[in-house]
Amino acid sequence: MLILTIGLVCMPLIGVEGLLHTDFVQQLIPFYAETRHALLAGEWPLWTWNAFLGDNFIAQFAYYTLFNPTAWLTALFPVGYMGWGIVLALYLKTCLCACFAHLYLRRLGFGASYCCAGALAYTFTSFYITGMVYFFFVEPAALFALLLWALEGVVGRRRYAFTQLAAVTFAVVAVNYYFAIASLLCGAAYLALRLWTGEGRRPGMEFLKGAGAALTGVCGAAFILLPTALFIASCPRLSAAGVSVSEMGVMIFERVFYALVPRLTEGPQTAFVSRTFSSISLFVPAMGLLGAALWARRQPRHWASIAVVAGAIFYFTPLNGIFTLFTEVKYERWGYALQMMLIVATLFEARELRGQSKSRAGAVYACLVVAACAVQFAVAKVIAPGSIGALAAGTVGFGVAAAVVTWICATKGFSAKALTCGTVAVASVNFVLFDYFCVLRQSADPEGFSTSDRMMRIFDGRGFAEAESEVFEYRTDMRAICPNQGMLENRPGVLAYISGVSGVTMPMRQLVTSSAVNQQMVIAAKRRSLDALLSVKEFRDYGVEPPNYQAAYEGLPAVTYMEDGAAVYELPDYIPMGMAYDTFIPESEFKGLYADVVSDGVDFPYVALSERNDSIDLCLQMLANLVVADEDTASVVRWMRKGRIDASAGLDSVVNARRALTAKSFRGTREGFTAEFDSPRDAFYFLSVPADPGFSLRLDGEPLEAFNVNLGMTGVMIPAGKHCLTAAYLPQGLVTGLCVTACAVIVFLTIWRIEYKRQ
């Protein structure tokens, strides 16, 4: 632990520039801020208005923060100092990763010095460098080491082995379900390998017992998994096109290539070399391919040698997380399994060598590293000659340095001392370069420093303008300095980036965004019509002019007021939430309007950024005529007449007509929403609230049917007079998931009781 702490302190691990980088800024900080606010509200959050137009809180945030203890830790810090809570969490996660790896290696029988060297090498892999940016990638690597520790307990028939395995499996799934698939698959393969290559009796029965314990842990997390699975089941990512043979070939080449080249955070900025998220190479390659290859040559039938081969098969197999399943191989996010097996094989080799010189092998590997770096430089120079600079030179230089360290380690016979010192030294250099490249990248980005300055508010005490109340009244919007900024302001963010895409609002998302999967920018043909349709009341300008937004709000009125450094405008086309319609068209007719619009290759095309179509404003069409699902037309026909699509009068005319009859008030909470109506006649009202099946609507206390209108939004029939509409939200599958979890707890206690009596 002392060596680990010294290594962490020597590295710029808590360097702000390293934290203020890409997705850490765009996703993690806003998600932590939103989770913090939700947890401190005193009630378990079920719904969030800070995700697109509102979404399932459990399904959206389970992967990122909701069941992550380090996110709860940061919630203890004031919002102006939340960044230091994240730094503390990063340190604790790093220590836990090393401790869990140390526990596992001790169960394999390695001495203290070798366990220390292996734990440091596992903790400071290039996967961890990426994990510092993708903050929620660190826990899966740490918990995978703990999972192997639990599996070794099953192999060694240790006390409470099955209870431990069930508990660890629950943690693996609950903390980050996205990585759980890979971790559990690799764990199952590992257990089978250890049982069938060991001296244990009845390996099949022991495997079934272990699988039963693991299944108990998975079922224990059903209260998370079931609502999330139902949410993701309708995600359009699952219907993504498969990967071509040529793409598969490129992917395999890249992963072989980065098995030799220690990878920096981004490398040369080319499409060719930036596809793979993290490398399987270690900071000290001696703790990777070289040591493992030497051990496999010495003991080809040893389980560690076989595990390296099996890990490589998993690594190159196009399996991925729950979002992409078998359809995407460009993101490799679970190389930690192979990394651990490489380390284990290297430690076996180091223990057997006992000081024997392997300088020739070290020299050969050093030459391979240098050659691979030269190939990388040459490829980058051909593909993107204008973006090489310090990035390519840094990668080559770092590769040469790592090759030298590898040669030294091999010469010293892979002694624990050499491996430990080399790991800490090379990791320190890599973190320095990592921070340097973050600064370099932000310097090249005209918006980078403005974004970083806003993120610095969670370090210097300034914080963000959090709302005083849990009530959200109407929609607000702000210019997208980067996605998810609305969460930092605790204001509903139409521009929020959502990794999971609800199938309910998918058509609307595709219509108003540049992508059906990652909603980073709203690119509509007519932005003013979209704001009116979604009841966007205000616009906040923080002084940064993002791409493609220069003409988004032409003709704005005078600044209404200044807030937290932002100029706030009230949008002239704003329509209060809950507008009444008296005409409608079936959805099939509305889709016919898409004929000349660029398609995204899925069910609903969207208005592409590269080809904005000024001849048709689809959001204006939805303002003029409610779009109703074909199967619901018979139900709404008695409330509305089917009118012709006529938006020729212009936006001002349509907006004025809609303002004539709207809801008296609308207030959203984390449990649902409340709307009040005072209607002079029977009317069909449209609410820009996702028509999520988890909502239960009541009108004056009586159940009310909701309709899916305007491509995934909510429509309700309200009779004349004063009425109060309330909506309570309960994620689909939550009750069933809780029941499964309760059953799993009973099974877990039974397993514990059986193991207790046998001791």
Side-chain angles (χ1 to χ4, degrees):
M1 182 61 69
L2 178 61
I3 295 176
L4 177 64
T5 300
I6 293 174
L8 289 174
V9 172
C10 292
M11 299 176 210
L13 183 59
I14 60 174
V16 172
E17 294 300 337
L19 297 178
L20 303 181
H21 179 69
T22 59
D23 279 4
F24 196 98
V25 173
Q26 296 176 358
Q27 297 182 62
L28 188 81
I29 292 178
F31 292 164
Y32 265 51
E34 171 69 358
T35 303
R36 175 189 180 277
H37 194 277
L39 292 176
L40 294 183
E43 297 181 5
W44 187 255
L46 300 175
W47 182 264
T48 174
W49 296 102
N50 283 342
F52 192 62
L53 296 172
D55 231 323
N56 183 334
F57 192 96
I58 292 179
Q60 288 289 8
F61 287 84
Y63 164 48
Y64 294 98
T65 61
L66 188 54
F67 299 98
N68 190 324
T70 60
W72 303 343
L73 174 65
T74 61
L76 301 177
F77 287 73
V79 69
Y81 299 96
M82 188 179 65
W84 298 110
I86 293 176
V87 170
L88 175 61
L90 181 59
Y91 173 80
L92 292 178
K93 289 195 294 185
T94 305
C95 292
L96 285 176
C97 187
C99 289
F100 292 160
H102 192 280
L103 285 174
Y104 164 61
L105 295 174
R106 287 289 289 177
R107 278 201 166 175
L108 289 180
F110 291 110
S113 59
Y114 286 107
C115 288
C116 180
L120 286 175
Y122 181 71
T123 301
F124 295 130
T125 60
S126 52
F127 182 90
Y128 181 82
I129 270 279
T130 306
M132 202 174 83
V133 177
Y134 304 96
F135 195 60
F136 32 82
F137 286 13
V138 179
E139 288 91 337
L143 289 173
F144 180 72
L146 191 63
L147 177 64
L148 295 182
W149 169 82
L151 292 173
E152 277 299 313
V154 173
V155 174
R157 299 180 180 179
R158 293 179 177 267
R159 187 178 184 182
Y160 299 121
F162 295 105
T163 304
Q164 292 171 352
L165 179 57
V168 172
T169 302
F170 169 80
V172 168
V173 176
V175 171
N176 194 313
Y177 66 82
Y178 183 91
F179 284 84
I181 293 177
S183 293
L184 295 181
L185 281 174
C186 293
Y190 178 87
L191 180 60
L193 175 63
R194 292 290 285 121
L195 289 173
W196 264 273
T197 58
E199 298 178 357
R201 302 175 181 176
R202 298 167 50 183
M205 182 59 65
E206 293 297 311
F207 182 84
L208 290 177
K209 290 181 180 179
L215 181 61
T216 301
V218 173
C219 292
F223 72 101
I224 307 167
L225 285 180
L226 194 55
T228 304
L230 291 174
F231 174 85
I232 294 174
S234 59
C235 172
R237 288 192 179 200
L238 296 183
S239 60
V243 178
S244 66
V245 175
S246 60
E247 288 179 313
M248 178 71 72
V250 171
M251 180 275 296
I252 293 176
F253 173 80
E254 286 178 335
R255 296 190 182 180
V256 172
F257 180 80
Y258 286 118
L260 299 174
V261 181
R263 181 156 168 81
L264 294 171
T265 175
E266 289 291 343
Q269 300 298 301
T270 67
F272 179 74
V273 298
S274 63
R275 287 180 178 176
T276 305
F277 256 63
S278 59
S279 164
I280 65 169
S281 63
L282 307 179
F283 286 151
V284 184
M287 292 289 288
L289 294 181
L290 178 58
L294 292 174
W295 175 249
R297 181 180 179 184
R298 181 191 295 270
Q299 297 286 350
R301 296 184 179 180
H302 191 274
W303 71 264
S305 301
I306 302 173
V308 169
V309 176
I313 292 174
F314 272 96
Y315 180 75
F316 290 107
T317 302
L319 295 173
N320 207 332
I322 199 168
F323 288 142
T324 51
L325 294 181
F326 296 92
T327 64
E328 177 64 72
V329 297
K330 293 180 181 178
Y331 294 135
E332 187 284 303
R333 298 185 175 183
W334 41 288
Y336 51 82
L338 178 55
Q339 287 173 342
M340 179 61 88
M341 294 304 101
L342 292 174
I343 290 171
V344 169
T346 299
L347 292 179
F348 276 118
E349 174 69 5
R351 192 170 62 178
E352 293 295 326
L353 281 176
R354 296 177 182 175
Q356 297 181 34
S357 174
K358 290 293 180 181
S359 56
R360 179 179 298 179
V364 170
Y365 191 79
C367 291
L368 288 174
V369 172
V370 174
C373 289
V375 171
Q376 176 174 348
F377 187 88
V379 171
K381 188 173 182 180
V382 172
I383 296 179
S387 63
I388 294 186
L391 289 172
T395 301
V396 173
F398 182 80
V400 173
V404 172
V405 173
T406 299
W407 181 80
I408 294 174
C409 290
T411 303
K412 298 296 184 180
F414 297 120
S415 68
K417 181 179 179 180
L419 293 174
T420 302
C421 295
T423 298
V424 173
V426 177
S428 299
V429 173
N430 207 344
F431 275 112
V432 170
L433 292 174
F434 173 74
D435 273 2
Y436 169 71
F437 287 142
C438 286
V439 175
L440 195 69
R441 180 168 179 171
Q442 291 178 6
S443 300
D445 184 358
E447 302 168 25
F449 282 106
S450 297
T451 302
S452 297
D453 179 69
R454 276 193 62 69
M455 297 304 101
M456 278 296 294
R457 293 172 180 270
I458 64 173
F459 288 94
D460 60 15
R462 288 178 290 168
F464 297 96
E466 289 189 305
E468 297 296 331
S469 170
E470 282 299 303
V471 175
F472 299 92
E473 188 168 2
Y474 301 120
R475 306 277 173 204
T476 60
D477 188 31
M478 60 176 291
R479 186 162 294 192
I481 296 176
C482 72
N484 304 314
Q485 291 282 344
M487 294 184 182
L488 292 172
E489 302 300 322
N490 196 30
R491 299 187 180 95
V494 174
L495 303 180
Y497 172 103
I498 302 299
S499 286
V501 181
S502 170
V504 176
T505 57
M506 185 261 289
M508 170 63 81
R509 293 171 193 253
Q510 291 179 246
L511 174 65
V512 303
T513 65
S514 59
S515 167
V517 178
N518 295 325
Q519 295 76 33
Q520 295 195 17
M521 297 292 180
V522 173
I523 307 296
K526 298 290 185 180
R527 179 61 193 268
R528 294 176 59 192
S529 303
L530 174 65
D531 291 341
L533 180 70
L534 301 182
S535 297
V536 177
K537 183 179 183 180
E538 296 173 330
F539 162 72
R540 288 172 172 78
D541 187 352
Y542 285 87
V544 178
E545 196 75 17
N548 313 314
Y549 266 72
Q550 290 79 1
Y553 288 96
E554 295 181 356
L556 283 173
V559 176
T560 304
Y561 61 93
M562 297 294 295
E563 179 180 300
D564 195 28
V568 181
Y569 305 86
E570 183 162 327
L571 300 179
D573 301 311
Y574 159 70
I575 301 175
M577 174 73 78
M579 60 188 78
Y581 280 81
D582 55 10
T583 62
F584 78 95
I585 59 171
E587 188 172 306
S588 57
E589 291 188 22
F590 179 79
K591 289 175 65 175
L593 299 172
Y594 282 105
D596 297 326
V597 180
V598 179
S599 174
D600 194 31
V602 284
D603 293 340
F604 277 81
Y606 66 91
V607 180
L609 168 64
S610 59
E611 298 186 30
R612 294 191 182 188
N613 192 329
D614 292 331
S615 64
I616 183 170
D617 184 347
L618 297 175
C619 293
L620 181 58
Q621 307 301 320
M622 284 191 285
L623 275 173
N625 303 270
L626 189 72
V627 178
V628 178
D630 291 0
E631 60 271 20
D632 292 334
T633 55
S635 300
V636 302
V637 71
R638 69 184 182 90
W639 288 77
M640 295 188 297
R641 58 184 176 81
K642 180 183 176 183
R644 299 174 61 86
I645 298 179
D646 182 15
S648 60
L651 178 62
D652 293 340
S653 176
V654 176
V655 166
N656 290 332
R658 290 286 165 258
R659 283 176 176 164
L661 193 60
T662 62
K664 185 178 179 181
S665 68
F666 178 90
R667 292 155 67 89
T669 68
R670 295 195 182 278
E671 289 75 39
F673 63 86
T674 299
E676 295 180 347
F677 300 89
D678 188 1
S679 181
R681 57 180 174 81
D682 295 351
F684 194 100
Y685 283 85
F686 160 74
L687 304 171
S688 56
V689 175
D692 193 293
F695 278 116
S696 297
L697 274 62
R698 288 183 173 273
L699 186 66
D700 301 327
E702 298 296 326
L704 180 69
E705 181 183 9
F707 293 88
N708 188 322
V709 300
N710 278 358
L711 309 183
M713 300 294 108
T714 299
V716 290
M717 302 173 183
I718 305 295
K722 294 182 179 181
H723 300 280
C724 180
L725 173 67
T726 58
Y729 184 74
L730 187 67
Q732 276 192 308
L734 180 59
V735 174
T736 304
L738 287 172
C739 293
V740 175
T741 295
C743 294
V745 171
I746 295 174
V747 174
F748 175 81
L749 294 176
T750 303
I751 294 174
W752 174 82
R753 184 65 177 172
I754 293 173
E755 290 190 314
Y756 175 78
K757 288 184 175 181
R758 288 182 176 178
Q759 300 303 321

